[in-house]
Amino acid sequence: MQRILITGSNRGIGLELVRRYLRREDTLIFATCRNPQAAAPLQALAAQHPHRLLILRLEVTDAGQIVEAVTAVRIKVDGLDLLINNAGTYAGRVGDADPQVTQFGALEVGPMLDMLRVNTVAPLMMAQAFADLLRRGHNPRLVNVSSDAGSLTMWDGGAYTYPASKTALNMFTRCLAHDLRADGITVISLHPGFIQTDMGGPRATLTLDEAIPGVIRVIDNLAPGDSGQFLNWDGSRVPW
Amino acid sequence: MQRILITGSNRGIGLELARQYAARGAQVFATCRDPQSADQLHALAQAHADRVHLVALDTGHPESIAEAASTIHAQTDGLDVLINNAAINPRDDRLRAFGQLEPDPILDVLRVNSIGPVLVTQAFADLLRRGNSARVVNISSGAGSLEQQANGCGYTYHASKAALNMFTRCLAGTLQADGIITIVLNPGWVKTDMGGPNATLEAEQSIRGILDVIDRLTIDDNGAFCQWDGKRLPW
Ligand SMILES: NC(=O)c1ccc[n+]([C@@H]2O[C@H](COP(=O)([O-])OP(=O)(O)OC[C@H]3O[C@@H](n4cnc5c(N)ncnc54)[C@H](OP(=O)(O)O)[C@@H]3O)[C@@H](O)[C@H]2O)c1
Ligand SMILES: NC(=O)c1ccc[n+]([C@@H]2O[C@H](COP(=O)([O-])OP(=O)(O)OC[C@H]3O[C@@H](n4cnc5c(N)ncnc54)[C@H](OP(=O)(O)O)[C@@H]3O)[C@@H](O)[C@H]2O)c1
């Protein structure tokens, strides 16, 4: 039984990950989202798989809710095998986002910090809070969903705060990989592909059906030697 | 006469930058959080009365940035070099020790080290556009190189510099159209309050190298990760 926790799982990439992992018989999934009541697709999946899908409320920037999520998971299992830090924000969609975080001349510290809190700091706080459960997992993995927008090498005109939030997340992946290596926890940053979701928008190059099987394959194939790396959905490396 | 703006210039690398630019005849807008208590800057301003101007600027606070911008707009109609030097690296387990990390202290560091330079550049962009082949130099660190952190790192300071590197690439993209060259620069390990006494470089030597690097910048360097001695660093 693989025990998996996914943040931001009510729509987009997170929801598709839940769907696909549920198709495996031997998974137990903690699907977290900010507002479970409003998460109709997740509720429908939970009705079909009441013993393998648990929906937990989790606003990832809320320290109290992180503690509650840890407690709720502990009641069910004594270890976690996979944590996917998927929740993230673009403050709009690619090409049409809040100018206060994307546009030179309009940048504002408050909204910029809000984005860093969600995309960069929250995954670190999740890693810290769930480290004990991961330590007691089988072949435990921690996947930070990053973006090739955060690649300094590939930078091609990206929009300030979102790319910087992912670059900083990648640095946390490097730090975590080192600190958790002795516990056997493999930590990576993963670019899921440019996907048609609310965030990616209709002009994104991949559908969820095309990209998510690749994402899952990459995670399945992770070896300890991959820890600290920045991997693409097709298994290749993304340059820093 | 070159017109230079430096943040965090009351001590350490920023102070030495102000000294060396002043010594070679530049006009220096030497900014710091608290000019009142900046004794060494006052001494420098006295020695170069007409060319070194002390201006209050706290890079963590937009109001302070705006006030400094209006003060400096009244004193010059262009800037040739902006050096975003101010940064913090507090010895605080809430920033660097896994198990004790806390969001708010981490975000306070990101505010000063990563966002501050972007907001300062934004506030002075019009003066830079009216400068002579203007340059924006963001002082980063080898700690911000992802490539170089294979053996552990201190979380917040490292991430703040990696984020600064990305913001700098964004700035380089935006400002290129105005003929402004923007880089990140690693000063080396320098004997300052932050670098500590075991650092390998005297500020004098590092800053001499930095001035030389800035003097030689060409458009090919736009968006690059440079080092005090002219070498390049990997991302
Ligand atoms: N789509 C792409 O092309 C692409 C490319 C590269 C990387 N990514 C990354 O992939 C991840 C998922 O993206 P997506 O395309 O699925 O985006 P999406 O469709 O916009 O979904 C974002 C998800 O994150 C959740 N979320 C946002 N802020 C949250 C918070 N503070 N606490 C808890 N949950 C929060 C959202 O919940 P609500 O419904 O409550 O808002 C939603 O479930 C993100 O990290 C994104 O940066 C996406
Ligand atoms: N020393 C090294 O070995 C080394 C190595 C790599 C990179 N660096 C980088 O080089 C730069 C200068 O470092 P340093 O060694 O000179 O450090 P330092 O001796 O600690 O001096 C830091 C300076 O930044 C100022 N500062 C901090 N927060 C500020 C804020 N919110 N607004 C305005 N000014 C602020 C400080 O002013 P107060 O006096 O008011 O605190 C001080 O003038 C930093 O960006 C640092 O990250 C240093």
Side-chain angles (χ1 to χ4, degrees):
Chain A
M1 176 76 79
Q2 195 182 19
R3 298 152 299 179
I4 303 169
L5 188 142
I6 303 168
T7 64
S9 64
N10 54 305
R11 56 191 172 101
I13 293 170
L15 179 61
E16 188 63 20
L17 284 166
V18 170
R19 281 206 183 100
R20 300 232 167 217
Y21 276 118
L22 265 181
R23 287 188 200 159
R24 298 180 171 178
E25 294 294 311
D26 59 342
T27 50
L28 172 60
I29 299 168
F30 300 95
T32 80
C33 63
R34 289 198 272 204
N35 187 353
Q37 273 77 47
L42 265 188
Q43 297 289 358
L45 287 170
Q48 287 167 36
H49 305 276
H51 302 295
R52 292 202 297 118
L53 176 58
L54 273 104
I55 304 173
L56 301 175
R57 180 182 69 146
L58 181 56
E59 156 63 59
V60 293
T61 62
D62 185 325
Q65 289 191 20
I66 292 182
V67 172
E68 286 170 24
V70 171
T71 307
V73 172
R74 275 223 175 93
I75 289 171
K76 292 282 172 190
V77 294
D78 60 1
L80 195 64
D81 309 313
L82 173 60
L83 167 58
I84 304 182
N85 278 315
N86 163 76
T89 175
Y90 201 90
R93 80 156 57 130
V94 176
D96 178 26
D98 182 355
Q100 294 186 330
V101 296
T102 56
Q103 236 180 66
F104 188 74
L107 298 169
E108 296 269 358
V109 66
M112 292 172 85
L113 283 169
D114 289 345
M115 180 173 270
L116 291 169
R117 192 184 279 277
V118 177
N119 291 358
T120 311
V121 178
L124 182 62
M125 294 303 130
M126 286 293 292
Q128 181 169 270
F130 283 92
D132 272 337
L133 279 162
L134 285 167
R135 286 186 185 106
R136 279 176 268 125
H138 303 299
N139 194 3
R141 291 117 200 251
L142 168 54
V143 174
N144 290 326
V145 179
S146 183
S147 169
D148 65 358
S151 164
L152 290 151
T153 311
M154 293 170 62
W155 183 85
D156 67 346
Y160 290 86
T161 315
Y162 180 81
S165 76
K166 296 296 191 180
T167 310
L169 174 63
N170 289 347
M171 183 60 86
F172 285 155
T173 295
R174 298 289 271 170
C175 301
L176 287 167
H178 179 263
D179 281 354
L180 298 176
R181 191 160 285 146
D183 298 315
I185 303 170
T186 300
V187 188
I188 62 155
S189 274
L190 183 112
H191 170 58
F194 184 28
I195 308 175
Q196 293 159 17
T197 61
D198 294 337
M199 185 187 295
R203 273 175 303 193
T205 49
L206 295 165
T207 63
L208 286 164
D209 278 339
E210 287 165 334
I212 302 309
V215 166
I216 289 175
R217 199 172 318 117
V218 170
I219 296 172
D220 281 342
N221 292 339
L222 284 180
D226 296 318
S227 203
Q229 297 305 329
F230 185 10
L231 299 179
N232 203 352
W233 66 282
D234 63 4
S236 63
R237 279 208 188 171
V238 186
W240 298 118
Chain B
M1 188 164 58
Q2 258 197 319
R3 297 151 298 178
I4 319 287
L5 192 156
I6 305 161
T7 64
S9 65
N10 56 308
R11 57 191 171 97
I13 290 171
L15 177 62
E16 184 62 21
L17 281 165
R19 280 199 182 118
Q20 292 197 18
Y21 270 115
R24 64 183 227 186
Q27 180 176 29
V28 182
F29 296 95
T31 75
C32 62
R33 284 197 273 211
D34 181 18
Q36 244 83 63
S37 67
D39 296 342
Q40 287 168 297
L41 267 190
H42 278 292
L44 187 67
Q46 244 150 41
H48 307 276
D50 47 342
R51 289 192 287 106
V52 175
H53 316 282
L54 271 68
V55 180
L57 198 173
D58 184 329
T59 63
H61 292 96
E63 322 78 64
S64 170
I65 297 174
E67 256 175 63
S70 77
T71 305
I72 292 170
H73 272 82
Q75 296 179 61
T76 183
D77 53 10
L79 277 176
D80 307 313
V81 182
L82 164 61
I83 305 181
N84 284 304
N85 163 76
I88 50 176
N89 185 10
R91 315 231 160 260
D92 181 341
D93 283 343
R94 296 174 304 165
L95 302 173
R96 47 173 82 197
F98 188 73
Q100 296 175 60
L101 300 167
E102 288 183 26
D104 290 327
I106 293 173
L107 287 160
D108 287 343
V109 174
L110 295 173
R111 170 197 283 264
V112 174
N113 293 8
S114 316
I115 297 175
V118 183
L119 298 185
V120 170
T121 307
Q122 180 171 267
F124 289 95
D126 59 333
L127 286 179
L128 290 162
R129 289 187 181 111
R130 279 178 264 134
N132 299 316
S133 30
R135 279 99 178 83
V136 176
V137 177
N138 291 336
I139 304 294
S140 185
S141 166
S145 167
L146 289 144
E147 185 79 38
Q148 293 187 352
Q149 311 310 323
N151 300 308
C153 39
Y155 292 92
T156 306
Y157 180 72
H158 291 70
S160 77
K161 295 298 192 179
L164 174 62
N165 289 358
M166 178 55 88
F167 278 131
T168 303
R169 282 183 85 68
C170 297
L171 289 169
T174 302
L175 298 174
Q176 184 166 3
D178 300 310
I180 300 169
I181 298 172
T182 308
I183 62 160
V184 262
L185 191 138
N186 171 28
W189 190 19
V190 186
K191 288 180 181 132
T192 62
D193 294 336
M194 191 188 291
N198 297 328
T200 48
L201 288 168
E202 299 295 335
E204 195 278 325
Q205 186 187 7
S206 161
I207 277 55
R208 209 171 351 106
I210 290 175
L211 262 58
D212 197 46
V213 169
I214 296 173
D215 288 343
R216 290 164 193 265
L217 287 177
T218 71
I219 194 67
D220 293 337
D221 300 309
N222 195 38
F225 195 175
C226 304
Q227 185 161 279
W228 69 279
D229 56 3
K231 296 204 178 94
R232 289 282 183 96
L233 282 171
W235 295 119

